[in-house]
Amino acid sequence: MSINFCGIELSGPVINASGTFDPLAARRAFGETVFTEFPFSAHVTKTITVDPREGNRPPRLWEAPVSLINSIGLPNKGLKRWTEEDLPQLVALPVPLIVNVMGFNREELKTLVEAVNEQEGVSGIELNVSCPNVETGTIVGSDPRECSGTVAAVRPLTKLPLIVKLTPNATDPAEVPKPAEAAGADAVSMINTLRGLPLHPITREPWLGGGTGGVSGPAIRAVAMSQLASVCDSVSVPVIGMGGVDSGSAAAQMLSLGAALVAVGTESFRDPRAGARISAELAAIQTSF
Ligand SMILES: Cc1cc2nc3c(=O)[nH]c(=O)nc-3n(C[C@H](O)[C@H](O)[C@H](O)COP(=O)(O)O)c2cc1C
């Protein structure tokens, strides 16, 4: 089923969620077939920041029933090295490339959007205004005026589709996308992780090096569905649904709420081919209707 998403031609509605599928690492581990039989219909990169980041102190992951709590903290090479080393390989993927970026202030975000806009082979830009694992991460994404001001600041810098990634950690997550749409966002994606605090079972100290982390996986799906339903009702731009999608059935439910695409995150850690499986399950459900 071919889909036109903000002018990007996709072979189907299932893409990866940022930060949960690294095609270059997957190719090193599993070989060339990762590239030739890519499991998603588009690739969304892990968040890129202007400066290189080490990420948060370990431990960075806590596995809980049907969920994962991460405090990764956006480790990445930084814009310059990523552009020189990773981007040339990522543009060789057989699917459209969407670059996810985060700035610690508007100037940084403008630098990122301008730089990505100049690159050949990039189909879209996702603005991560919603990471719960960095100091300022949720501020922009949880404040409608901050968020729309941020979109308005970068909108003139690119003609590429701009996707705003929303946080579920806001008083009313459905309040943010409408002003973002008015400021020029072409699409919204949701949800990022929910803030969570796992304790060490014996010491009762925070388990994660970063203190709190972001909860993902099937445990958050009902929250994602509820927020997705209100956002799909309130905006006219396309919405990418994510949060706990682990099957074709879960993907079909998000599409039935009005999502244009569905992104798979945590499930790819359990099964690196999850994207292909979920697409096949979804196609079987759609043809049986
Ligand atoms: C280990 C891990 C790393 C993540 N890194 C990023 C990231 O770099 N940028 C981003 O926008 N979201 C990041 N996310 C959030 C996911 O893209 C997604 O919004 C969230 O996990 C919900 O989907 P899921 O339940 O299918 O995992 C990360 C999630 C996990 C679990």
Side-chain angles (χ1 to χ4, degrees), residues 17-20 45-47 61 68 70 72 74 100 126 128 130-131 165 190-193 214-218 220 242-245 263-267 269:
S18 171
T20 60
T45 69
K46 178 155 184 72
T47 297
L61 292 175
L68 180 68
N70 89 82
I72 305 281
L74 306 181
N100 178 307
E126 184 173 56
N128 179 4
S130 49
C131 178
K165 184 158 181 182
M190 55 184 294
I191 58 175
N192 209 318
T193 53
V215 188
S216 62
I220 69 166
M242 72 191 94
V245 174
V264 175
T266 301
E267 183 65 7
F269 292 118

Side-chain angles (χ1 to χ4, degrees), residues 46-246:
K46 178 155 184 72
T47 297
I48 315 300
T49 53
V50 171
D51 295 319
R53 286 177 57 83
E54 291 285 327
N56 289 339
R57 253 185 320 122
R60 293 174 169 182
L61 292 175
W62 174 264
E63 284 185 61
V66 289
S67 67
L68 180 68
I69 311 181
N70 89 82
S71 163
I72 305 281
L74 306 181
N76 75 99
K77 294 177 171 181
L79 177 63
K80 184 169 184 299
R81 271 188 62 207
W82 179 83
T83 307
E84 289 166 2
E85 295 171 17
D86 292 3
L87 182 62
Q89 300 180 68
L90 293 174
V91 295
L93 283 168
V95 295
L97 181 67
I98 296 171
V99 179
N100 178 307
V101 294
M102 193 192 96
F104 287 90
N105 52 52
R106 278 190 197 162
E107 285 314 305
E108 278 196 6
L109 197 61
K110 283 161 83 173
T111 302
L112 287 155
V113 169
E114 263 176 333
V116 172
N117 180 57
E118 284 167 8
Q119 306 303 323
E120 283 290 314
V122 175
S123 296
I125 301 178
E126 184 173 56
L127 307 175
N128 179 4
V129 293
S130 49
C131 178
N133 291 331
V134 289
E135 212 178 315
T136 57
T138 50
I139 294 173
V140 172
S142 59
D143 180 320
R145 278 182 47 197
E146 271 294 319
C147 187
S148 61
T150 299
V151 174
V154 297
R155 179 68 282 179
L157 305 177
T158 182
K159 289 199 163 45
L160 290 172
L162 278 178
I163 306 161
V164 177
K165 184 158 181 182
L166 300 173
T167 178
N169 303 308
T171 316
D172 180 0
E175 270 186 0
V176 178
K178 195 86 196 143
E181 176 181 24
D186 297 292
V188 295
S189 57
M190 55 184 294
I191 58 175
N192 209 318
T193 53
L194 284 150
R195 184 173 282 124
L197 173 62
L199 295 186
H200 190 293
I202 295 167
T203 65
R204 296 189 191 141
E205 293 294 319
W207 169 268
L208 297 168
T212 59
V215 188
S216 62
I220 69 166
R221 193 164 66 234
V223 177
M225 300 280 283
S226 134
Q227 297 192 0
L228 185 63
S230 27
V231 170
C232 287
D233 277 351
S234 72
V235 294
S236 44
V237 292
V239 181
I240 305 175
M242 72 191 94
V245 174
D246 61 352

